[in-house]
Amino acid sequence: MASFVPRHPETLEDQRRYTRARLVEVACLDCLTTVAVKKNSEHHTSIQWHGDARGQCPELRRVPEPERARSLHRGCPRLLAAIEAAALDGRIPIGAEDGY
């Protein structure tokens, strides 16, 4: 259980901006699993997985369960290619806004 639960509007807004603002839905080129993506720079990519998206990805299902649970894998190359293509064609804006 969290020891800190934000209650102040400013804190809640910071939390929303950090975890959900500017996220763009991107679908894998292969299995069509969707994730939410934000790029604060050319080299920084934030990926938020929805529900059972990891379980739907054939590439990630090949990873042994203990590693999958600890996220010790590199990710799905086809999903990463879809994210890169979306960034290159302008669907994912690149650059942080207000530090996020």
Side-chain angles (χ1 to χ4, degrees):
M1 178 172 199
S3 61
F4 171 75
V5 178
R7 299 196 191 287
H8 296 293
E10 298 87 7
T11 305
L12 291 169
E13 177 58 17
D14 283 344
Q15 181 184 44
R16 184 202 65 78
R17 285 190 344 199
Y18 186 72
T19 60
R20 295 187 300 273
R22 299 187 316 107
L23 290 171
V24 176
E25 295 291 318
V26 177
C28 178
L29 298 172
D30 187 30
C31 70
L32 303 180
T33 294
T34 61
V35 295
V37 178
K38 173 172 52 174
K39 287 191 70 66
N40 287 341
S41 72
E42 294 279 337
H43 303 288
H44 176 272
T45 304
S46 252
I47 302 172
Q48 298 292 322
W49 290 80
H50 301 299
D52 190 36
R54 288 182 179 196
Q56 295 172 12
C57 174
E59 182 73 23
L60 297 183
R61 283 197 314 257
R62 287 189 202 81
V63 176
E65 185 60 41
E67 290 179 32
R68 193 178 330 152
R70 293 188 313 254
S71 298
L72 295 176
H73 48 79
R74 291 188 170 272
C76 173
R78 291 175 295 279
L79 177 61
L80 296 175
I83 292 168
E84 183 65 23
L88 288 173
D89 71 18
R91 288 181 285 145
I92 301 174
I94 299 174
E97 294 176 10
D98 297 330
Y100 295 97

